Amino acid sequence: MLSRPDVAVVGAGPVGLAIAWRCAARGLRVVLHDPAPGSGASHVAAGMLAPVAEAYFGEHELTGLLTDSAARWPAFAAELTEASGADIGYRTDGTLVVGLTADDLAEARRLWAYQRGLGLPVTPLRPTELRDREPALAPRVRGGAFAATDHQVDPRRLVPALRTAAERSGATVRPGVVRQLSDVDAAVTVVAAGCGAAALTGLPVRPVKGQVLRLRAPDGGAPGFRHVIRGYADGEPVYLVPRTSGEVVVGATVEERADTGVRAGAVLRLLRAAVDLLPELSEYDITETVAGLRPGTPDNAPILGPLPGRPGVLAATGHHRHGIVLTPVTADLIADLITTGVADPLLAPFTPGRFGPRPDTRPPGPAGPQQTTEDDSWN
Amino acid sequence: MLSRPDVAVVGAGPVGLAIAWRCAARGLRVVLHDPAPGSGASHVAAGMLAPVAEAYFGEHELTGLLTDSAARWPAFAAELTEASGADIGYRTDGTLVVGLTADDLAEARRLWAYQRGLGLPVTPLRPTELRDREPALAPRVRGGAFAATDHQVDPRRLVPALRTAAERSGATVRPGVVRQLSDVDAAVTVVAAGCGAAALTGLPVRPVKGQVLRLRAPDGGAPGFRHVIRGYADGEPVYLVPRTSGEVVVGATVEERADTGVRAGAVLRLLRAAVDLLPELSEYDITETVAGLRPGTPDNAPILGPLPGRPGVLAATGHHRHGIVLTPVTADLIADLITTGVADPLLAPFTPGRFGPRPDTRPPGPAGPQQTTEDDSWN
């Protein structure tokens, strides 16, 4: 064993790996802990980089962070491709948001108006424009809009690329399971363990189940559409993400459950919505049905920054539906915080402290929870 | 190596294994050849033993054979359970045939009238009787009938049980692939190779694709219904086979294709029909999506008996949708034929010779197909 590392990252998903890469590239000695890197939510995720289509009512600060991180993606993707030598499936064809019925379209338009009010680039299309962009859409589709800056990446390519980049920068990955933070010896510990952060830190991170299908275009060909398609089909939200390889990811349910079973009803609803929007999918093979658990938080926004009452411990978790798009900004700002000691103002709305008093996961013993007199602040 | 076996069986699916068991139990020395026993159509099959519900217009002789074999099943199942010590999932709860819409019910009633005209036991039920029998049926289901003698067995339990019984009777299984019948050295060779029979014999056996789903009841429980349910749902035929283990088999497509890909459109149609008939299936897990290839023939009936022009070679193939139900009669009659030299009259409609001149699979060489002067007849 060498001497104590500067940074220990618990969790080698995209967020943990990117933080490790950024820290190692700045000369810090970094160790990642994960028994199965990339086996969490990112293994199921579609990889949409969609700050516009994901901008929802009442999530103004999250939208700002999504937009900031999405703007970092082109350079991040280029740098990562260079550093890893790997193709990460980054595609900038843009996203079409469509409505199948008049009701679906009315619902979509309400959201587009909100997004345009924020100055976000979503452009309603005439039906002929929509078909010109994507002739494979069902004739029933009533209308849609184009979000040119909503891109995609393949999370199953992203994770190994990030690992390569992190390791080439000097980070090491250790397969042991971290059951408590005291198992980790480092100057700074970053908890990037997704849903596992709850048990490690007491933070209010809960599993939010998502079921996803993977299809494959016939005869080894590419999918017959090139945009990410997000739609409402008879009230059912669905997305269709085409990969150059021929894969199409169809997702996703959002369920307050912690199991990873694949339910017949969910598969039926996803397939029905997918085929209603894009009939040719009927002829695609189903290659995978899978469910994962997103790390959700009370306000749907991530938890980024120093853990109150735990000096030297940072959280980078709770990314919920947004882990892939938020990977660059998370990695940059956490690495900045570690190396400079100064928190970027962007982090202010996302501190662990926003959920109230200091969390404490130690079980109450005979003497009750232990208290610490150390300074809670990071700086 | 011991001396030449009396019987070589090519193909260790249910039919081949049962023939081997019956022959070995009569004192013959039997060798089975199969690189992957039970990996063919039986691995996908639901295992319905349904001579009544499977009695279709224009298939009078096949219906007779199905009825005969189904009548052998109770004793066959008891004997096999005794011989193997294994539970084969044999259940006699009977089958409900139902129609979702008025059109579906009209279609079903036409078939019931035909089946009742043949004297087969299918009993139309009043809606209240139907719900009393199976309360989990959707309220939309318009009507149904009860086929008390249409039972089920689990093919994935049947195959290992048959193998155990065959081996305990002295048969041996060899894993080599038989590429041509001249690779096999035995007094009698039985070709029970399913779709593989075509290449070995030249018989008109073609693959007929079937896609099937396997679901699992929630929380480790049994399915919420006990009958096999066969239905028409908005024109889509579907069956639902409940197992004591909690498994439900949902099937099946019938397609003139030779690939084993699982198509999104087929899964969507099967799930929609299944959930329309039995809404609780929506909450079941999908544990498997799979496709297999049935050995179809020009008249949908099996090919049973001596191969013209190939002395010492018998066919037992082409069982199409009926391989499981026809296993006992096939095994009994083929074993009788081998041991007594006398063909049961039941076999007459199913001889290999009914498709015309002797098949010949030898590639035409410079001198053209070889001719044989040996007697074509079996006896």
Side-chain angles (χ1 to χ4, degrees):
Chain A
M1 293 293 286
L2 298 172
S3 59
R4 192 183 194 218
D6 300 312
V7 180
V9 180
V10 182
V15 167
L17 286 165
I19 291 169
W21 176 37
R22 290 309 201 197
C23 288
R26 295 177 195 197
L28 299 175
R29 285 185 310 100
V30 181
V31 174
L32 281 142
H33 298 271
D34 197 321
S39 64
S42 72
H43 185 71
V44 176
M48 289 178 293
L49 310 172
V52 176
E54 290 280 343
Y56 288 117
F57 305 106
E59 297 181 352
H60 191 75
E61 284 165 333
L62 175 59
T63 298
L65 194 69
L66 293 171
T67 305
D68 180 283
S69 197
R72 295 172 194 247
W73 253 101
F76 182 84
E79 200 179 339
L80 178 58
T81 303
E82 171 74 20
S84 66
D87 173 6
I88 59 169
Y90 179 64
R91 286 179 59 172
T92 59
D93 301 78
T95 294
L96 294 176
V97 187
V98 303
L100 182 67
T101 67
D103 283 358
D104 293 324
L105 190 57
E107 174 72 14
R109 282 182 171 144
R110 207 168 68 90
L111 192 57
W112 299 338
Y114 169 74
Q115 291 160 345
R116 289 161 68 84
L118 295 177
L120 296 172
V122 56
T123 310
L125 300 174
R126 286 191 298 271
T128 53
E129 293 173 318
L130 185 62
R131 260 92 198 170
D132 284 350
R133 282 205 164 268
E134 212 58 274
L137 283 169
R140 284 182 63 197
V141 172
R142 288 291 292 265
F146 183 48
T149 59
D150 280 6
H151 300 152
Q152 63 147 306
V153 69
D154 184 343
R156 292 185 182 176
R157 294 171 176 263
L158 174 65
V159 164
L162 281 169
R163 180 170 180 169
T164 298
E167 290 181 333
R168 286 184 179 174
S169 297
T172 58
V173 180
R174 293 193 189 148
V177 176
V178 174
R179 301 203 184 279
Q180 47 199 2
L181 293 182
S182 58
D183 293 349
V184 177
D185 183 32
V188 176
T189 298
V190 181
V191 180
C195 292
L200 291 169
T201 63
L203 286 167
V205 179
R206 71 181 194 287
V208 179
K209 180 175 174 178
Q211 300 187 55
V212 163
L213 313 174
R214 280 180 165 74
L215 312 183
R216 186 160 293 282
D219 305 321
F225 62 108
R226 65 189 179 89
H227 299 85
V228 172
I229 295 174
R230 303 172 62 114
Y232 302 86
D234 279 322
E236 187 76 22
V238 68
Y239 59 72
L240 313 169
V241 181
R243 310 261 196 241
T244 309
S245 65
E247 180 178 273
V248 174
V249 185
V250 179
T253 65
V254 180
E255 304 166 72
E256 294 292 341
R257 303 180 60 120
D259 69 277
T260 53
V262 176
R263 292 283 183 293
V267 173
L268 173 57
R269 288 194 303 277
L270 289 173
L271 279 178
R272 181 155 44 197
V275 169
D276 279 350
L277 293 178
L278 212 75
E280 72 171 51
L281 294 181
S282 177
E283 298 303 313
Y284 285 39
D285 281 358
I286 298 186
T287 55
E288 190 179 335
T289 59
V290 64
L293 301 175
R294 309 175 186 92
T297 64
D299 57 6
N300 294 335
I303 303 175
L304 308 173
L307 206 62
R310 303 291 292 267
V313 177
L314 295 175
T317 185
H319 290 76
H320 193 34
R321 297 165 51 89
H322 311 297
I324 306 297
V325 63
L326 291 177
T327 289
V329 75
T330 301
D332 290 345
L333 299 190
I334 296 292
D336 285 350
L337 180 54
I338 291 170
T339 50
T340 68
V342 180
D344 190 291
L346 263 175
L347 288 175
F350 307 107
T351 58
R354 74 186 187 272
F355 300 115
R358 88 172 48 148
D360 195 314
T361 57
R362 284 162 289 197
Q370 293 173 40
Q371 295 296 320
T372 172
T373 56
E374 296 171 86
D375 187 351
D376 283 1
S377 72
W378 175 251
N379 295 312
Chain B
M1 293 293 286
L2 299 172
S3 58
R4 193 184 192 217
D6 299 312
V7 180
V9 181
V10 182
V15 167
L17 285 164
I19 291 169
W21 176 37
R22 290 310 201 197
C23 288
R26 296 178 193 196
L28 298 175
R29 285 186 309 99
V30 182
V31 173
L32 281 142
H33 298 271
D34 197 321
S39 65
S42 73
H43 186 70
V44 176
M48 289 178 293
L49 310 172
V52 177
E54 290 280 343
Y56 287 116
F57 305 105
E59 297 181 351
H60 192 74
E61 285 165 333
L62 175 59
T63 298
L65 194 69
L66 293 171
T67 305
D68 181 283
S69 197
R72 294 172 193 246
W73 254 101
F76 182 84
E79 199 180 341
L80 178 58
T81 302
E82 172 73 19
S84 66
D87 173 5
I88 60 171
Y90 178 63
R91 286 179 60 172
T92 59
D93 301 79
T95 294
L96 293 175
V97 188
V98 303
L100 183 67
T101 67
D103 283 357
D104 293 324
L105 189 57
E107 174 72 15
R109 283 183 170 142
R110 208 169 67 91
L111 193 56
W112 300 338
Y114 168 74
Q115 291 161 346
R116 288 161 67 85
L118 295 178
L120 297 172
V122 58
T123 310
L125 300 174
R126 285 191 299 272
T128 55
E129 293 172 319
L130 185 62
R131 260 93 197 168
D132 284 350
R133 282 206 164 267
E134 211 58 274
L137 283 168
R140 283 181 64 198
V141 172
R142 288 290 292 265
F146 183 48
T149 58
D150 279 7
H151 300 153
Q152 63 147 307
V153 70
D154 184 343
R156 292 184 181 177
R157 292 170 176 264
L158 175 65
V159 165
L162 282 169
R163 181 171 178 168
T164 298
E167 290 180 332
R168 286 184 180 174
S169 298
T172 57
V173 180
R174 294 195 187 145
V177 176
V178 174
R179 302 203 184 280
Q180 48 199 0
L181 293 182
S182 57
D183 292 349
V184 177
D185 183 32
V188 176
T189 298
V190 181
V191 180
C195 293
L200 290 169
T201 64
L203 286 167
V205 179
R206 72 183 193 286
V208 180
K209 179 175 174 178
Q211 301 186 55
V212 163
L213 313 174
R214 280 181 165 74
L215 312 184
R216 185 161 292 282
D219 304 322
F225 62 107
R226 66 188 178 88
H227 299 84
V228 171
I229 295 174
R230 304 172 61 114
Y232 302 85
D234 279 322
E236 187 76 22
V238 68
Y239 59 72
L240 313 169
V241 180
R243 310 263 196 238
T244 309
S245 65
E247 180 179 274
V248 173
V249 185
V250 179
T253 65
V254 180
E255 304 167 70
E256 294 291 341
R257 303 178 61 119
D259 70 277
T260 54
V262 176
R263 290 284 184 291
V267 173
L268 173 57
R269 287 194 304 276
L270 289 173
L271 280 177
R272 181 153 46 197
V275 169
D276 279 350
L277 294 179
L278 211 77
E280 72 172 51
L281 294 180
S282 176
E283 298 303 314
Y284 285 37
D285 281 357
I286 297 186
T287 55
E288 191 179 335
T289 58
V290 65
L293 302 174
R294 310 175 186 91
T297 64
D299 57 7
N300 294 334
I303 303 174
L304 307 173
L307 206 62
R310 303 291 291 267
V313 178
L314 295 175
T317 186
H319 290 75
H320 194 34
R321 296 164 53 89
H322 311 297
I324 306 297
V325 64
L326 291 178
T327 289
V329 75
T330 300
D332 290 345
L333 299 190
I334 295 292
D336 286 349
L337 180 55
I338 291 171
T339 50
T340 68
V342 179
D344 191 291
L346 264 175
L347 289 175
F350 307 107
T351 59
R354 74 185 187 273
F355 299 115
R358 86 172 49 147
D360 196 314
T361 58
R362 284 162 287 198
Q370 292 175 40
Q371 296 295 321
T372 170
T373 56
E374 297 170 87
D375 187 353
D376 284 1
S377 72
W378 176 250
N379 293 312

